[in-house]
């Protein structure tokens, strides 16, 4: 049985699928990833992206942070691709327990997924750092150079996990719980090099771990199935 046929049969038999995804899930929706040849880390900016996307940079140079953030991190016109759509379909059919994602673009929810653990937060949630008033992403987009609260004047911060910040405990616990219950864990579009997120797949207890990624990952040797075709293309065949 070839790789895709095996994956199809595993999906058909599964009752508790969990999907763990990274930036590669959204590249087919036109959102650049970080580490590939044309990813953000290989583009030229005034500061390295890792520095710009840090908490200390946000507080120290908020205008420079928001200049980069609006240009590269607010893909409000992006549409879900075949992977997002298929995962939402599986959830509606009762086959999928949860999506665990490192992405902040909200495309899983846009496709209709309800149970999504966003390990690194979401561009769709933004809060005043003084009074905690909520703002949607359009407010961030439309209020350059700095989005300030229209009630108290405080600086607004996206609810995304920046470098130097901890992941949300409740979100991690939910993701761990889902992964530990999965009978099929599909990991896609992630290099599995960003921790602590990548370490979560250690909580999978089954024997059907599928890695769908264009490049090799540190976990390839532990996977029960490795798929090298693009993730949207792969899911379109399922």
């Amino acid at each position: 049985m070839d790789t895709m046929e095996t994956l199809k049969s595993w999906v058909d038999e599964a009752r508790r699928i969990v999907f763990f995804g990274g930036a590669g899930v959204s590249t087919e929706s036109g959102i650049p990833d970080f580490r590939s040849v044309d990813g953000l880390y290989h583009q030229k900016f005034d500061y390295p992206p890792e520095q710009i996307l840090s908490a200390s940079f946000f507080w120290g140079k908020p205008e420079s942070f928001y200049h980069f953030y609006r240009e590269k991190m607010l893909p409000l016109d992006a549409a879900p691709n075949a992977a997002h759509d298929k995962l939402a379909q599986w959830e509606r059919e009762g086959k999928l327990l949860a999506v665990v994602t490192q992405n902040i673009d909200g495309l899983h929810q846009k496709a209709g997924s309800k149970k999504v653990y966003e390990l690194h937060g979401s561009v769709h949630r933004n809060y005043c750092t003084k009074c905690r008033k909520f703002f949607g992403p359009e407010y961030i987009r439309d209020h350059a150079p700095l989005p300030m609260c229209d009630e108290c004047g405080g600086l607004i911060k996206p609810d995304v996990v920046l470098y130097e910040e901890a992941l949300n405990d409740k979100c991690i616990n939910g993701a761990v719980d889902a992964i530990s219950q999965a009978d099929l864990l599909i990991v896609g579009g992630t290099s599995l090099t960003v921790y602590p997120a990548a370490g979560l797949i250690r909580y999978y207890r089954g024997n059907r771990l599928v890695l769908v990624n264009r490049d090799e990952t540190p976990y390839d040797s532990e996977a029960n199935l490795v798929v090298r075709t693009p993730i949207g293309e792969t899911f379109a065949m399922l």
Side-chain angles (χ1 to χ4, degrees):
M1 195 183 295
D2 74 7
T3 301
M4 279 309 299
E5 288 304 315
T6 300
L7 180 54
K8 284 177 184 175
S9 69
W10 286 4
V11 167
D12 287 344
E13 294 164 13
R15 292 295 173 265
R16 298 186 308 280
I17 301 172
V18 171
F19 178 78
F20 180 99
V25 178
S26 294
T27 51
E28 287 168 81
S29 293
I31 299 173
D33 64 6
F34 284 81
R35 290 174 174 77
S36 64
V37 175
D38 51 356
L40 290 180
Y41 284 174
H42 295 276
Q43 298 177 28
K44 294 293 179 233
F45 304 104
D46 292 341
Y47 304 90
E50 309 98 295
Q51 184 181 349
I52 297 172
L53 295 174
S54 68
S56 53
F57 192 92
F58 172 82
W59 292 108
K61 298 182 185 296
E63 286 195 18
S64 296
F65 170 90
Y66 269 116
H67 176 73
F68 175 89
Y69 183 82
R70 280 192 193 89
E71 192 173 319
K72 299 295 181 183
M73 312 295 287
L74 267 186
L76 300 185
D77 297 327
N81 61 51
H84 300 104
D85 291 337
K86 182 60 70 173
L87 291 164
Q89 177 193 325
W90 288 347
E91 186 182 39
R92 287 193 300 272
E93 293 171 353
K95 289 175 67 71
L96 182 118
L97 278 182
V99 169
V100 180
T101 181
Q102 295 169 279
N103 296 338
I104 60 175
D105 51 47
L107 289 181
H108 286 293
Q109 288 92 333
K110 198 180 263 192
S113 289
K114 301 282 191 286
K115 199 63 172 288
V116 183
Y117 293 104
E118 296 173 305
L119 297 175
H120 296 152
S122 172
V123 301
H124 294 275
R125 300 187 299 269
N126 306 273
Y127 297 94
C128 172
T129 55
K130 284 187 179 176
C131 73
R132 298 296 293 167
K133 181 179 176 180
F134 172 87
F135 293 88
E138 294 80 10
Y139 190 91
I140 304 298
R141 179 194 64 198
D142 298 339
H143 287 76
L146 281 180
M148 308 301 285
C149 179
D150 56 7
E151 285 197 7
C152 77
L155 178 63
I156 298 167
K157 182 181 181 296
D159 187 16
V160 299
V161 179
L162 301 175
Y163 288 104
E164 306 163 352
E165 292 181 332
L167 273 61
N168 179 280
D169 284 342
K170 186 178 177 184
C171 184
I172 289 180
N173 292 338
V176 166
D177 187 51
I179 290 170
S180 65
Q181 293 181 55
D183 58 5
L184 170 61
L185 177 61
I186 304 176
V187 179
T190 172
S191 60
L192 290 173
T193 55
V194 177
Y195 286 84
L200 296 184
I201 69 172
R202 292 276 184 207
Y203 291 93
Y204 177 57
R205 297 173 181 150
N207 59 0
R208 290 186 170 182
L209 170 61
V210 180
L211 295 187
V212 185
N213 202 52
R214 184 180 58 189
D215 305 314
E216 286 186 30
T217 80
Y219 286 82
D220 281 12
S221 61
E222 299 176 41
N224 304 106
L225 196 67
V226 176
V227 183
R228 288 278 181 249
T229 49
I231 193 157
E233 192 179 306
T234 301
F235 273 79
M237 292 188 278
L238 293 174

